[in-house]
Amino acid sequence: MSCAPSNHLLLTASQLGQLLVSTRKRPKLTQAAVATHVGLSQNRISYLESHADEISIKQLLSWCAALELELHLGERDTSTASSPAAW
């Protein structure tokens, strides 16, 4: 994919699902194409895009590789107000 790199702050599983869908659709990848890379069925990819809280770490890392995404973890910036409900 030849888009400029961008970073996304994700606080909820729903946000993760939305990011996976939008990143898949940008280069016009199908759920079936992602499923092949992740080792799941197209039906399971469809389900997990709406239920991202059920994605395993192994699946997420494979999914990121298929979509040319990197996963970065870091400490939360506590200088701005954040809702504990997001966790």
Side-chain angles (χ1 to χ4, degrees):
M1 295 187 307
S2 60
C3 296
S6 62
N7 292 311
H8 301 276
L9 177 63
L10 302 176
L11 299 175
T12 67
S14 176
Q15 291 171 332
L16 173 60
Q18 291 169 3
L19 175 65
L20 293 173
V21 170
S22 65
T23 304
R24 174 180 60 77
K25 287 183 174 181
R26 201 171 307 125
K28 299 184 178 10
L29 285 174
T30 64
Q31 290 175 337
V34 172
T36 299
H37 283 89
V38 179
L40 298 172
S41 69
Q42 178 273 323
N43 287 341
R44 186 67 178 160
I45 292 296
S46 176
Y47 177 82
L48 291 173
E49 286 181 342
S50 299
H51 300 87
D53 57 317
E54 297 184 30
I55 299 172
S56 72
I57 295 297
K58 182 179 178 180
Q59 291 167 341
L60 179 58
L61 292 173
S62 295
W63 208 319
C64 287
L67 298 178
E68 297 183 8
L69 293 172
E70 293 179 338
L71 181 63
H72 295 261
L73 298 175
E75 293 183 21
R76 183 180 287 217
D77 180 3
T78 57
S79 64
T80 59
S82 64
S83 169
W87 289 98

